[in-house]
Amino acid sequence: MDNYYLFLRLRETIVAYSYVADITVVNVDNRVSVHAAGAEEGEHDTVSDSIRGAMENGHSVLVRTISIAGKNQNVVSFLQYLPYNNSAVIVDIHAEWFQSSIGTVSRAVYVIDEEGKAVTENARAVTGGKTVAEQLAGMLSEGLDQQVYDDSHSGKIFFFTRSQELGWWFVDVQDYSQFYSSFTRVALIFLAIALLLLALCILVSVLFSRRLQKPLVQLVNKCRATVGAEELLDGDELQVIDRAIARVEHDRYQNERYIQSQFLRNLMSGQEMPFFVSREIMERLRQEFYAAFYCVLLIEIQPLQEPAEQEKAEEYKIYRYTVCNLADEIFGESFPCKTVETGETTVAVLLMTEKEVVSDEYILCFRQLKEFVEKQVGISANGSLGSVVAAQNEICLSYEKARQYLEMSRLIGRDKLVDSNNAASASYQEKNEKLVESIKEYAKLYFTDPELSLKSISQQFELSTTYLGKIFKSIRGVSFSAYVTQYRLEQSKVILMETNRTVAEIAEQVGFSNSTYYTTVFRNLYGITPSAFRHQAKD
C-alpha cells in the first residue's frame, strides 16, 4: 500500500456501501494505484492501461473483471478523471446490482455493453444465444437504437433498447402470457377512462344545453341581418355566429390594411393623412414604422407578354399583389421592411435599418425576387434604391430619388438594380470574393479560439451575420462553421502525426471546446478515432 491513510479512507467508504466492490485511486503519471480492497501490485499496470484507454476513447463507464482476495469478480467501473494532477478515481460496482428480474419465469431484463459483452451474470447465457446475437448485429449494421423482436419458436418477445449515454443494450424479455396480460390490463384502463370521459361529456351537454339555448337564439337573431343569413334555419345558430365573427374580423383587417397602405403612400408622397384617421392611430403607425434610418426601394414591373386591354387592369393588380407579398417575404428575412403599391406598374419597399449605409445584402434579395417573378410569374422587374434618410418626414425625398433613377435606368435600358447612394460601385461578385478571402484569412489566424464564429467575425467586419453567411456559402459552397471545422481537423491530423500530445491537448490546441466532441467529429468525418489515426499513420 503506497498510501495507508488513503487506503483506510477508501476502505471505510466500501464498508458503507454494500454494492461497491472496490475503489481505486490511480496516479497516471507514475502508474501507482491505491485499492480499497487491497489488490496485488501486479494489477497496477493493468488498471493504468484501462484508464488510459477509456480516457482516449471518451468513455467514463466500462465493464471489467477484477481480482479481489484471489477471486475474479465482474464489475461495472465508473471513471472520474482528475485533470489537475493527471489521476483518476475508479468505483467498481458489483455487476449483479444491474441485474433486473421481474417475476420468476415470465420476464427478465438483461444488460449488455456496447461491444456485445454481458454486464450482468444473467446476461451471459443470452449473449451466446443465436436470437440475441443476430438481432444485436443487425441493429448495429442498420444504426437502430430500438427494436421489438417476436420469437414465436420460444414464445417470447424481445424488446431491445440502446442507452444513448452509456451505449449499453437493455434487453427486456417477456413471455407471451406476461405481455398479453400487461397489454390487456393497459387496454382496459384506457377503455374505462374513455367511457368515463364520454359519460361526463354527455352529462355536461344535457345540463347546459337548455340553459344556453335561449340566450344563443337571441344572439343569433341579432346577427342574422348583419351577415345576410335570414335564409338559415333555426338550428343553424352556431353557423350564423361564426359567419358574423368572420365578417367583423375581415372588415377590421381590411380597414387596418387600407389605413397602413395609405400611411405609407402619404409618407412617400409627402402628404398628410385624411382627417378621419384619429391621432391615436397615427401615433401607433409612427411607432410601428420607427427606425434610425429609412431607404425606399422602387420596383417597376412589366409583363413579358402584354395582356389584352380589357384584362390589363386586373392583370396588373394581380402582379402588384404578387410582388408585394414576395418582397415582404424575401427582404423581410434580412431587413425590417414594408411594401405598398404606388402606381399601376410600381411597388415600393420601405427599408428600415439601424445604419446609415444599407448593406449589400439587398442586392442578393432583389436578384432573388427578380429571378423568381421572371421564371414563375412571367414578369420582369427593374429597381432603383433611393437615398438613405434619417426621419420619417424625409422618406418622400428617398422615394423621389428612387423614382428619378428608375426613369434614368429605363432610358438607358439598364435592367439591374440602381443604387442612388453608390451608382458607380465596383463589381459585386468581385467584392464578395475578396470579402470571403478576408474571412478565410481571419479564420486561419484565429482557428485555435473556441469562440471563433461567424457572429464574432461579422462584428469585426461590421456586417450582417446573415449576409456574411449567405455570401460565404455562395462563394465556397459550404457554410462557415463546416469550413472552420474541416480546417481544424486537418490541422489536428498534422499534430497527431508529428507529436505525442494527448487527444485532449490536441483538441484544445486546434480550438475544440472538449476532447469528446473533437473525437466524435473526427470519427464522423474520417471514419476513425484520432488515436487510431495516429497509430495507423505511424505504422
Side-chain angles (χ1 to χ4, degrees):
M1 294 300 98
D2 298 276
N3 190 321
Y4 187 65
Y5 174 74
L6 177 60
F7 165 75
L8 291 178
R9 294 297 302 272
L10 297 179
R11 188 64 182 173
E12 291 175 1
T13 305
I14 274 195
V15 172
Y17 301 97
S18 60
Y19 52 83
V20 177
D22 190 17
I23 302 179
T24 308
V25 179
V26 181
N27 188 318
V28 180
D29 289 335
N30 55 25
R31 307 172 75 86
V32 173
S33 304
V34 175
H35 296 256
E40 288 87 5
E41 290 186 359
E43 294 186 354
H44 291 178
D45 294 343
T46 302
V47 171
S48 180
D49 292 339
S50 299
I51 296 170
R52 191 181 300 275
M55 288 190 299
E56 290 180 354
N57 293 321
H59 293 166
S60 59
V61 182
L62 59 155
V63 180
R64 300 191 303 153
T65 300
I66 65 174
S67 177
I68 298 179
K71 295 182 180 180
N72 292 335
Q73 293 189 17
N74 298 317
V75 295
V76 178
S77 301
F78 292 83
L79 170 64
Q80 175 65 51
Y81 178 60
L82 308 175
Y84 53 84
N85 57 11
N86 199 21
S87 61
V89 177
I90 306 176
V91 179
D92 298 315
I93 307 299
H94 292 291
E96 286 66 27
W97 281 81
F98 293 87
Q99 179 172 316
S100 175
S101 295
I102 304 172
T104 56
V105 179
S106 60
R107 185 178 180 187
V109 177
Y110 306 102
V111 184
I112 303 171
D113 70 7
E114 57 185 348
E115 297 179 356
K117 298 179 181 178
V119 176
T120 56
E121 187 66 29
N122 68 342
R124 300 185 185 280
V126 299
T127 51
K130 182 178 180 181
T131 299
V132 174
E134 289 181 350
Q135 289 299 312
L136 285 177
M139 293 176 68
L140 288 172
S141 63
E142 298 177 9
L144 300 177
D145 290 337
Q146 293 182 345
Q147 193 176 57
V148 179
Y149 175 68
D150 183 5
D151 187 0
S152 58
H153 179 71
S154 62
K156 295 181 178 180
I157 299 178
F158 293 78
F159 297 87
F160 293 86
T161 303
R162 184 173 182 268
S163 169
Q164 294 293 336
E165 295 184 358
L166 298 178
W168 290 1
W169 296 91
F170 295 87
V171 185
D172 186 354
V173 182
Q174 300 183 26
D175 285 349
Y176 280 177
S177 58
Q178 171 69 22
F179 177 77
Y180 290 146
S181 175
S182 301
F183 181 80
T184 302
R185 188 182 304 110
V186 173
L188 290 175
I189 292 174
F190 274 101
L191 180 60
I193 294 174
L195 291 175
L196 181 61
L197 290 176
L198 179 61
L200 182 61
C201 291
I202 293 174
L203 179 61
V204 171
S205 175
V206 172
L207 291 176
F208 288 94
S209 61
R210 295 181 179 179
R211 297 183 60 183
L212 293 176
Q213 185 174 6
K214 185 176 180 179
L216 180 61
V217 171
Q218 293 175 349
L219 178 61
V220 169
N221 291 332
K222 293 180 181 179
C223 294
R224 285 183 184 275
T226 303
V227 300
E230 290 81 358
E231 72 279 2
L232 291 177
L233 301 177
D234 291 340
D236 298 327
E237 289 86 358
L238 293 178
Q239 186 177 356
V240 173
I241 294 176
D242 185 62
R243 286 190 181 185
I245 294 174
R247 173 70 64 85
V248 172
E249 289 293 329
H250 176 73
D251 292 344
R252 184 176 63 82
Y253 173 75
Q254 289 291 93
N255 185 53
E256 289 181 355
R257 285 291 301 270
Y258 172 78
I259 294 177
Q260 185 184 87
S261 299
Q262 191 63 41
F263 180 75
L264 284 173
R265 293 191 192 95
N266 288 1
L267 282 178
M268 294 178 187
S269 63
Q271 298 178 2
E272 294 292 334
M273 286 289 287
F275 67 91
F276 59 81
V277 180
S278 66
R279 183 178 300 176
E280 290 76 12
I281 294 178
M282 288 294 299
E283 186 63 29
R284 179 175 57 81
L285 288 172
R286 292 191 185 98
Q287 291 297 324
E288 182 179 350
F289 293 102
Y290 175 79
F293 298 96
Y294 305 89
C295 186
V296 175
L297 171 63
L298 194 59
I299 302 174
E300 183 178 47
I301 58 178
Q302 184 66 36
L304 299 179
Q305 184 176 359
E306 191 68 23
E309 189 64 31
Q310 61 272 20
E311 301 175 354
K312 187 174 181 180
E314 190 65 26
E315 289 291 325
Y316 271 97
K317 181 178 180 181
I318 296 174
Y319 294 151
R320 294 194 303 271
Y321 178 80
T322 302
V323 172
C324 280
N325 282 278
L326 287 172
D328 270 333
E329 181 177 349
I330 294 173
F331 284 90
E333 292 183 358
S334 306
F335 302 97
C337 66
K338 295 291 182 180
T339 59
V340 64
E341 302 175 14
T342 55
E344 183 181 24
T345 62
T346 56
V347 170
V349 182
L350 178 62
L351 303 175
M352 295 172 281
T353 177
E354 297 301 318
K355 294 184 179 181
E356 190 171 1
V357 178
V358 180
S359 169
D360 288 347
E361 190 176 356
Y362 70 86
I363 297 177
L364 297 177
C365 297
F366 178 77
R367 187 182 303 164
Q368 182 181 352
L369 173 66
K370 179 180 177 65
E371 292 176 354
F372 183 86
V373 296
E374 287 182 355
K375 293 180 181 179
Q376 304 297 330
V377 187
I379 59 177
S380 64
N382 300 326
S384 63
L385 195 68
S387 56
V388 179
V389 296
Q392 285 185 356
N393 57 6
E394 297 177 348
I395 291 176
C396 57
L397 302 178
S398 180
Y399 172 78
E400 183 62 24
K401 182 72 71 174
R403 189 186 62 79
Q404 293 173 1
Y405 272 82
L406 186 62
E407 291 180 358
M408 185 185 304
S409 66
R410 190 187 305 123
L411 292 174
I412 63 177
R414 184 172 180 179
D415 61 350
K416 295 182 179 179
L417 180 64
V418 180
D419 185 357
S420 64
N421 302 281
N422 189 16
S425 60
S427 169
Y428 289 106
Q429 181 66 19
E430 182 179 348
K431 288 174 60 180
N432 291 339
E433 290 177 354
K434 291 181 179 179
L435 178 60
V436 169
E437 288 300 319
S438 299
I439 294 174
K440 287 171 54 182
E441 292 299 323
Y442 186 93
K444 289 179 180 180
L445 287 174
Y446 298 100
F447 75 94
T448 58
D449 183 7
E451 301 298 326
L452 176 66
S453 65
L454 195 60
K455 182 177 180 180
S456 64
I457 292 181
S458 66
Q459 293 173 350
Q460 292 291 331
F461 285 75
E462 296 185 351
L463 292 172
S464 165
T465 304
T466 305
Y467 171 67
L468 286 184
K470 288 183 179 179
I471 291 298
F472 192 95
K473 189 167 185 178
S474 66
I475 299 297
R476 293 292 303 173
V478 296
S479 65
F480 176 76
S481 60
Y483 171 81
V484 172
T485 301
Q486 175 73 27
Y487 185 82
R488 284 170 171 167
L489 292 176
E490 291 297 327
Q491 296 300 312
S492 71
K493 288 169 64 177
V494 176
I495 302 174
L496 283 167
M497 292 186 293
E498 296 181 352
T499 70
N500 292 324
R501 294 173 182 166
T502 65
V503 172
E505 291 173 344
I506 295 175
E508 182 179 3
Q509 183 177 347
V510 298
F512 286 92
S513 57
N514 62 76
S515 58
T516 303
Y517 175 69
Y518 163 67
T519 302
T520 302
V521 174
F522 193 102
R523 182 170 54 235
N524 290 341
L525 184 60
Y526 302 115
I528 191 173
T529 64
S531 301
F533 171 82
R534 169 180 279 169
H535 293 313
Q536 190 179 79
K538 291 183 178 181
D539 292 340

